[in-house]
Amino acid sequence: MLTANRSDIGRVRQVNEDQSWVGQLNNGVTVAIVADGMGGHQAGDVASQKAVDAFRSMLEQSAAKADLSLQEGKMLIRQAISQANEAVFEMASRNERYYNMGTTIVAALVKQDNAIIGHVGDSRAYKITEGVITQLTNDHTLVNELVKSGQLSVDEAAHHPRRNVLTRAIGTDSHVDIDIQAVELSPQDVLLLCSDGLSNMVSEQQMLQTVSAEQLDLEARADHLIQLALHAGGDDNITVVLLQEADGTTGEG
């Protein structure tokens, strides 16, 4: 599996509240996570770090089984995200400084020809395949609810003053609903996980062109996506993870 993992503080923020991790478990499964923290007084970076650590340790402990079924994979990623929720919620409950902190999570567990995606919040997963980009996740935001109910158009939602208001986050409640799905992958497909610092600043068309640029290796494509977000203003922290089955078409990653 070729992977690239990039994060940038952006042009406006004082602290990078995004966290990401990509790793290969003992059973050969590749796992990736992007978390975008929120909460005043630097609580956002604490929340995202705590969530990634809890998610990672849960998966590393459970990674002994070599032939995970799809169902077991879904259960595993659900448990790991639940664990992250508990860890952040408990820390926020114990410490006044961290009151109300939380984070988004988008995570992928990739084995051979499929990926299991879990998410909470508005960090996204996309699949790029043969000239087509597909957004896999559904933002848990107020404006997305308004779009789904027909009260806002997609264009209006993109510029809505409250577009960053989440309807679901990790760590703000003792229990959280987690969206889980399985997606088929072919060797040419690229999975893109990102925080909204990318998806708010860079169009799907730009993402598609960059990720499809065969003359660039995966690392260079991730770097280019970060640069596009910075050129567009870099209003937020920007995090990008790219994953592709190593099939010899993309150079070395």
Side-chain angles (χ1 to χ4, degrees):
M1 179 67 66
L2 300 172
T3 64
N5 179 7
R6 290 283 184 277
S7 192
D8 193 282
I9 195 167
R11 298 195 186 281
V12 178
R13 300 293 177 94
Q14 302 301 306
V15 177
N16 192 345
E17 296 184 329
D18 288 0
Q19 286 289 339
S20 55
W21 171 71
V22 180
Q24 192 168 33
L25 305 178
N26 294 341
N27 57 4
V29 170
T30 299
V31 181
I33 179 172
V34 170
D36 178 357
M38 62 200 191
H41 314 300
Q42 300 195 357
D45 56 331
V46 174
S48 56
Q49 182 68 63
K50 188 81 182 161
V52 169
D53 290 348
F55 174 90
R56 178 179 178 173
S57 72
M58 162 84 203
L59 278 174
E60 287 181 336
Q61 285 162 26
S62 319
K65 194 161 192 276
D67 51 345
L68 272 183
S69 71
L70 217 50
Q71 221 38 51
E72 287 167 331
K74 285 181 175 178
M75 210 164 70
L76 200 54
I77 208 160
R78 186 182 296 281
Q79 285 171 337
I81 295 175
S82 295
Q83 190 87 11
N85 187 67
E86 280 170 34
V88 177
F89 181 73
E90 192 205 347
M91 193 175 190
S93 310
R94 274 205 328 258
N95 189 328
E96 212 172 281
R97 237 175 66 215
Y98 299 143
Y99 171 71
N100 233 356
M101 75 173 176
T103 182
T104 69
I105 277 184
V106 61
L109 193 148
V110 187
K111 51 186 290 274
Q112 284 135 357
D113 50 3
N114 60 62
I116 297 160
I117 312 284
H119 92 288
V120 175
D122 62 354
S123 293
R124 291 181 179 176
Y126 293 90
K127 180 168 115 169
I128 290 111
T129 178
E130 291 174 0
V132 179
I133 182 167
T134 309
Q135 184 181 330
L136 301 172
T137 50
N138 211 337
D139 293 349
H140 301 138
T141 56
L142 184 63
V143 296
N144 198 38
E145 292 302 318
L146 295 174
V147 169
K148 286 198 288 191
S149 63
Q151 295 174 63
L152 277 184
S153 72
V154 173
D155 279 352
E156 287 167 338
H159 304 102
H160 197 280
R162 302 191 67 201
R163 66 180 180 274
N164 294 331
V165 177
L166 297 178
T167 52
R168 261 190 246 178
I170 292 287
T172 52
D173 293 288
S174 57
H175 172 79
V176 67
D177 286 335
I178 302 160
D179 287 3
I180 306 276
Q181 59 180 309
V183 202
E184 285 187 9
L185 286 184
S186 72
Q188 296 76 34
D189 296 346
V190 178
L191 268 186
L192 162 61
L193 308 184
C194 66
S195 60
D196 65 347
L198 183 78
S199 52
N200 282 344
M201 307 303 285
V202 177
S203 70
E204 287 192 357
Q205 194 53 39
Q206 288 174 300
M207 291 185 204
L208 176 61
Q209 284 172 339
T210 302
V211 175
S212 304
E214 289 192 359
Q215 70 277 20
L216 300 177
D217 68 14
L218 219 54
E219 303 268 352
R221 296 179 211 181
D223 285 334
H224 189 60
L225 288 170
I226 298 268
Q227 290 307 316
L228 286 171
L230 289 171
H231 287 315
D235 295 354
D236 200 351
N237 311 140
I238 312 146
T239 300
V240 174
V241 170
L242 296 177
L243 304 163
Q244 184 179 26
E245 198 59 60
D247 69 342
T249 60
T250 56
E252 293 307 309

